[in-house]
């Protein structure tokens, strides 16, 4: 998608929004015409700038008036009609309509009767208690607007995933338990495992949407209902985050899940692909262009297959080359949870023992695991090895890397462990050169086999250290040190761009739960999903290796 074409799409979408506003919130004939033209531009020929007015009008969805605007854009870089609407409806004024509870009529009343032209003006009016003076508004309406304003910007004020995801999982669990619900699943940026989340999207399969929605809007943690329709509802939780729940029949669930789970650029490219093959794709189905017959809609896999592609992992759907790779059958073979044969970063909780970790490891089908508690434990691990000869139980430790790159434990002490992990736990303020040298020096010690949480980041509270990424990755590869993908939601470290760069350079990785109790070991699936964001190949993940191969690698650090 060319930059100019992407900009044209944005301008047409803004034009539709302002035309709807001008018509008092109604999707008029004019607005509908530009909406169709915008969809046509998304799906159409990538060389629109070279088409004549006549050729443009031959494209389905583009009429003479909209074609003139498209030609105008490619000639001048602007659309005069849009510029005129922007003058009548400045951006600060348009922002008002994005506040829940304010429709077009209310918006114009606030402007015409109280002179409110912006969100800032509205805040002042509410503080002065002048809103309830308008006929039909009242104190209740004023209070509702006040609450909506308090939450305004929640989509911009993104929250760390480790705060939001547990809430989404709990809501989905409760919704799934309803007898009217066949299936429920969170979608959106949560399914792609983005580090920060604006809101929660939940999709539900049910033939009784009214009952599901009634339960949803009355859940105890719901603070306010934004909107409720026949098949969807939006609410604010007490924690201030917005949750959108949509109910779909089973026959449409795949199309809905695909649409609401993928990044917007991915959806645009996917629709362009559908158009090139003679189809149209929306959140309900894949169907022939210009026809109503449903080709596929029940599962994501069927839709991708109909478009000549294998299924693409949700975490990869960012328009970063995944569609082109899928078409050419060059997508990486990424790891799945079932590919993991062990976990190499485990600690005992205060009320648990190493035995609990081993028992959990058995339930997960692991061939090996490493218990990396700080301090002694060799005698206990020796007992566990005798009791569990079918599992390789490693006595490990996580060593802190000092400011100069030296390691906390003496060389003699480090030799007592089967595996040593090393990571930064302090002095995050050092500059890039010092942090890079620090990591490289530590990895040059032959006892270090895994670099843990590479940046030391904590999402939402600690950005992590600044490093020369290529230099650190090259040093890790040269010293045969695996880069840990830390599955803890507050870390998800390193970021996907570093993982992808490591893949290109041929680095080894290990996906670890970094669990502090047996229950947390199951959370390793977050690390697997995070690895997909970086296009990590399964063959580069050392804990997909057999017990025998891992043992050989541990004994041959520079092999």
């Amino acid at each position: 998608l060319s930059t100019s074409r992407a900009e044209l799409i944005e301008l047409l979408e803004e034009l539709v929004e302002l035309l709807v506003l001008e018509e008092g919130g109604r999707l008029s004939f004019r607005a509908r015409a530009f909406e169709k033209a915008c969809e046509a531009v998304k799906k159409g020929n990538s060389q629109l700038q070279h088409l004549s007015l006549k050729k443009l009008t031959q494209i389905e969805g583009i009429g003479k008036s909209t074609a003139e605007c498209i030609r105008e854009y490619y000639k001048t870089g602007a659309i005069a009609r849009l510029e005129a609407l922007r003058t009548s409806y400045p951006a600060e004024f348009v922002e008002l309509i994005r506040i829940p509870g304010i429709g077009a009529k209310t918006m114009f009343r606030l402007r015409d009767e109280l002179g409110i032209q912006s969100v800032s003006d509205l805040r002042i009016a509410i503080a002065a208690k002048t809103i309830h003076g308008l006929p039909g508004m009242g104190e209740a309406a004023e209070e509702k607007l006040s609450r909506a304003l308090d939450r305004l910007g929640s989509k911009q004020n993104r929250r760390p995933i480790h705060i939001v995801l547990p809430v989404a999982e709990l809501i989905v669990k409760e919704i799934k338990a309803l007898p009217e619900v066949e299936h429920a699943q969170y979608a959106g940026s949560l399914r792609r495992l983005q580090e920060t989340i604006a809101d929660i999207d939940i999709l539900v399969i049910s033939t009784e949407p009214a009952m599901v929605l009634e339960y949803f809007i009355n859940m105890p943690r719901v603070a306010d209902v934004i909107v409720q329709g026949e098949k969807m509802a939006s609410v604010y939780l007490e924690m201030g985050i917005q949750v959108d729940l949509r109910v779909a029949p089973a026959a449409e669930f795949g199309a809905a899940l695909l649409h609401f789970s993928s990044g917007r650029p991915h959806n645009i490219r996917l629709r362009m692909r559908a158009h090139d093959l003679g189809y149209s794709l929306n959140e309900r189905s894949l169907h022939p262009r210009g026809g109503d017959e449903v080709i596929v809609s029940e599962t994501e896999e069927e839709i991708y297959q109909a478009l000549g592609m294998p299924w693409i992992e949700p975490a990869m759907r960012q328009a970063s080359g995944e569609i082109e790779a899928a078409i050419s059958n060059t997508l990486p073979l990424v790891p799945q949870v079932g590919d993991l044969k062990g976990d190499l970063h485990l600690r005992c909780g205060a009320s648990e023992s190493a035995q609990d970790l081993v028992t959990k490891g058995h339930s997960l089908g692991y061939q090996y695991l490493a218990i990396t508690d700080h301090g002694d434990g060799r005698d206990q691990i020796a007992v566990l090895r005798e009791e569990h000869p079918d599992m390789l139980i490693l006595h490990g430790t996580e060593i802190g890397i000092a400011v100069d790159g030296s390691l906390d434990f003496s060389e003699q002490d480090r030799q007592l462990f089967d595996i040593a992990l090393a990571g930064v736990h302090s002095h995050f303020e050092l500059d890039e050169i010092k942090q890079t040298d620090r990591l490289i020096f530590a990895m040059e010690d032959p006892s270090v086999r895994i670099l843990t949480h590479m940046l030391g980041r904590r999402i939402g509270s600690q950005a992590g250290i600044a490093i020369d990424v290529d230099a650190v990755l090259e040093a890790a590869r040269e010293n045969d040190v695996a880069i840990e993908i830390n599955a803890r939601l507050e870390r998800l470290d390193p970021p996907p761009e570093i993982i992808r760069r490591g893949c290109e350079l041929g680095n080894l990785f290990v996906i670890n739960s970094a669990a502090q109790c047996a229950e947390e070991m199951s959370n390793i699936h977050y690390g697997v999903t995070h690895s997909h964001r970086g296009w990590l190949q399964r063959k580069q993940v050392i804990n997909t290796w057999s017990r025998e191969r891992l043992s050989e690698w541990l004994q041959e650090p520079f092999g």
Side-chain angles (χ1 to χ4, degrees), residues 216-217 224-228 232-236 242-246:
F216 171 63
I217 65 172
D224 200 5
V225 178
I226 302 170
V227 64
Q228 180 181 3
M232 74 84 63
S234 295
V235 302
Y236 279 123
Q242 180 175 328
V243 184
D244 300 330
L245 185 142
R246 295 173 175 84

Side-chain angles (χ1 to χ4, degrees), residues 127-301:
K129 298 189 178 299
T130 58
I131 302 293
H132 70 257
L134 289 177
M137 293 296 286
E139 293 186 8
E142 188 173 65
E143 176 60 26
K144 189 171 183 178
L145 283 178
S146 178
R147 293 198 305 270
L149 269 177
D150 289 340
R151 298 178 180 116
L152 184 65
S154 64
K155 286 183 178 285
Q156 287 74 41
N157 299 329
R158 302 175 69 90
R159 291 168 172 81
I161 188 169
H162 67 272
I163 299 295
V164 180
L165 185 51
V167 176
E169 290 176 333
L170 183 61
I171 294 174
V172 167
K173 182 180 179 180
E174 293 181 14
I175 295 291
K176 273 185 175 180
L178 296 177
E180 299 84 11
V181 171
E182 181 180 334
H183 181 64
Q185 184 172 345
Y186 59 78
S189 52
L190 274 177
R191 192 169 177 228
R192 299 196 304 276
L193 214 69
Q194 300 285 115
E195 287 97 337
T196 58
I197 307 298
D199 54 15
I200 298 172
D201 290 291
I202 297 175
L203 298 179
V204 175
I205 297 177
S206 177
T207 56
E208 300 182 56
M211 297 184 71
V212 175
L213 294 175
E214 185 66 20
Y215 176 86
F216 171 63
I217 65 172
N218 287 295
M219 294 180 79
R221 62 184 61 84
V222 171
D224 200 5
V225 178
I226 302 170
V227 64
Q228 180 181 3
E230 292 183 1
K231 295 184 178 180
M232 74 84 63
S234 295
V235 302
Y236 279 123
L237 302 183
E238 291 174 346
M239 66 183 291
I241 196 164
Q242 180 175 328
V243 184
D244 300 330
L245 185 142
R246 295 173 175 84
V247 183
E252 297 179 1
F253 189 74
L257 186 61
L258 175 60
H259 176 81
F260 290 107
S261 293
S262 306
R264 184 170 177 271
H266 181 92
N267 276 332
I268 291 174
R269 302 247 181 138
L270 210 56
R271 291 182 180 188
M272 291 170 62
R273 171 68 174 175
H275 182 273
D276 292 343
L277 295 175
Y279 305 134
S280 287
L281 175 65
N282 58 30
E283 66 273 18
R284 293 182 298 278
S285 70
L286 179 72
H287 51 273
R289 197 166 68 245
D292 297 326
E293 176 191 355
V294 174
I295 299 172
V296 285
S297 60
E298 289 191 24
T299 69
E300 292 181 321
E301 290 83 355

